[in-house]
């Protein structure tokens, strides 16, 4: 089973927590549900919340995380897409940081490192 570790800045930025909560070694769906619980806007249910996040927080086409999910064949219905939308589709706001993903084959991806490396390649004057 895919496992993910995330820093959740939402409760810290909204003043609900004094520290940044960590979500560690959870399935993408478990992590997504924990993130949802920290949000003010939760939608009618979990499925609607995920749908709205993915509709309104589009992961940029060149973002390494999007490429990673596509290469791994992760279906759009998977909560990894929701988490990626929150992490990389919300502009300059760092609501969550995806620290690592442990895949079924034992390999580990480091999305935040890949994102930082990608940002360094951009000509920010033209973005």
């Amino acid at each position: 089973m895919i496992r993910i570790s995330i820093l959740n800045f939402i409760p810290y930025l909204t003043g609900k927590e004094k520290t940044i909560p960590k979500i560690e070694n959870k399935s993408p769906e478990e992590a997504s549900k924990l993130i949802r619980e920290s949000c003010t806007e939760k939608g009618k249910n979990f499925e609607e919340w995920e749908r709205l996040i993915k509709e309104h927080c589009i992961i940029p086409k060149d973002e390494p995380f999007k490429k990673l999910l596509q290469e791994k064949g992760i279906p759009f219905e998977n909560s990894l897409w929701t988490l990626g939308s929150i992490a990389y589709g919300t502009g300059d706001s760092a609501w969550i940081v995806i620290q690592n993903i442990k895949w079924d084959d034992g390999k580990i991806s480091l999305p935040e490192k890949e994102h930082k490396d990608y940002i360094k390649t951009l000509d920010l004057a033209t973005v």
Side-chain angles (χ1 to χ4, degrees):
M1 177 183 276
I2 299 171
R3 308 307 277 179
I4 191 164
S5 293
I6 296 173
L7 294 175
N8 182 6
F9 285 86
I10 296 168
Y12 176 77
L13 293 172
T14 58
K16 294 177 186 173
E17 296 281 341
K18 295 197 184 294
T19 60
I20 300 163
K22 294 180 183 179
I23 297 171
E24 297 184 287
N25 200 34
K26 300 289 184 191
S27 74
E29 185 172 326
E30 290 170 323
S32 194
K33 286 179 177 179
L34 290 168
I35 297 294
R36 178 177 177 254
E37 285 306 310
S38 69
C39 293
T40 303
E41 297 295 325
K42 294 178 178 54
K44 292 179 196 171
N45 55 43
F46 178 69
E47 292 75 19
E48 179 190 71
W49 177 81
E50 282 203 314
R51 180 182 57 77
L52 291 170
I53 293 290
K54 290 186 274 190
E55 281 180 12
H56 296 285
C57 304
I58 308 298
I59 303 171
K61 67 177 180 146
D62 293 332
E63 174 59 50
F65 189 79
K66 185 175 196 170
K67 291 179 182 181
L68 174 67
L69 296 186
Q70 291 170 334
E71 288 170 5
K72 294 280 189 180
I74 303 299
F76 193 66
E77 298 75 35
N78 189 295
S79 292
L80 279 173
W81 284 96
T82 306
L83 296 169
S85 293
I86 298 168
Y88 307 112
T90 56
D92 295 334
S93 301
W95 295 104
I96 66 171
V97 170
I98 302 172
Q99 294 182 298
N100 65 61
I101 303 170
K102 296 175 188 172
W103 300 100
D104 290 335
D105 62 6
K107 293 183 181 177
I108 296 176
S109 295
L110 304 170
E112 187 59 18
K113 180 190 178 314
E114 294 165 9
H115 175 71
K116 285 180 182 177
D117 292 344
Y118 165 70
I119 293 297
K120 290 177 188 174
T121 69
L122 297 178
D123 180 2
L124 297 180
T126 62
V127 175

